[in-house]
């Protein structure tokens, strides 16, 4: 059995890029800074993102860093959520 998860976790780079960097939780894309979120919040945001049509997802990603990777954002969000669970 796996040990219990700590109350908080310090993530970096990829996790930040796919949460705050693409505005996963609130639509506010920020290339630098920090993001606080629970796994449940990430799961809910990933579900919302993955339910978008390709046109909606591309429009939502406009203005975010790495815009050209917009089609990966859903899978990335799900991957991060599962990784943290």
């Amino acid at each position: 059995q796996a040990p219990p998860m700590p109350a908080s976790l310090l993530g970096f780079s990829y996790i930040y890029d796919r949460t705050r960097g693409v505005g996963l939780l609130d639509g506010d894309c920020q290339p630098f800074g920090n993001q606080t979120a629970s796994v449940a919040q990430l799961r809910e945001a990933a579900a919302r993102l993955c339910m978008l049509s390709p046109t909606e997802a591309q429009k939502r990603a406009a203005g975010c860093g790495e815009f050209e990777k917009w089609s990966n954002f859903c899978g990335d969000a799900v991957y991060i959520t599962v990784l943290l669970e």
Side-chain angles (χ1 to χ4, degrees):
Q1 182 173 350
M5 290 291 290
S8 63
L9 174 75
L10 177 62
F12 55 92
S13 188
Y14 174 74
I15 294 174
Y16 180 83
D17 290 346
R18 292 301 176 257
T19 55
R20 190 69 172 161
V22 300
L24 180 64
L25 297 174
D26 59 9
D28 182 20
C29 307
Q30 295 293 323
F32 305 104
N34 59 42
Q35 177 71 67
T36 301
S38 68
V39 174
Q41 289 172 309
L42 293 173
R43 186 181 323 106
E44 291 166 9
R48 284 192 308 272
L49 178 63
C50 293
M51 290 185 342
L52 297 175
S53 71
T55 302
E56 292 170 323
Q58 190 172 18
K59 182 178 177 181
R60 185 191 180 285
C64 293
E66 299 187 331
F67 166 74
E68 68 280 358
K69 297 180 183 178
W70 69 268
S71 63
N72 296 333
F73 292 169
C74 166
D76 290 344
V78 171
Y79 176 75
I80 289 168
T81 301
V82 171
L83 188 65
L84 295 174
E85 289 181 327

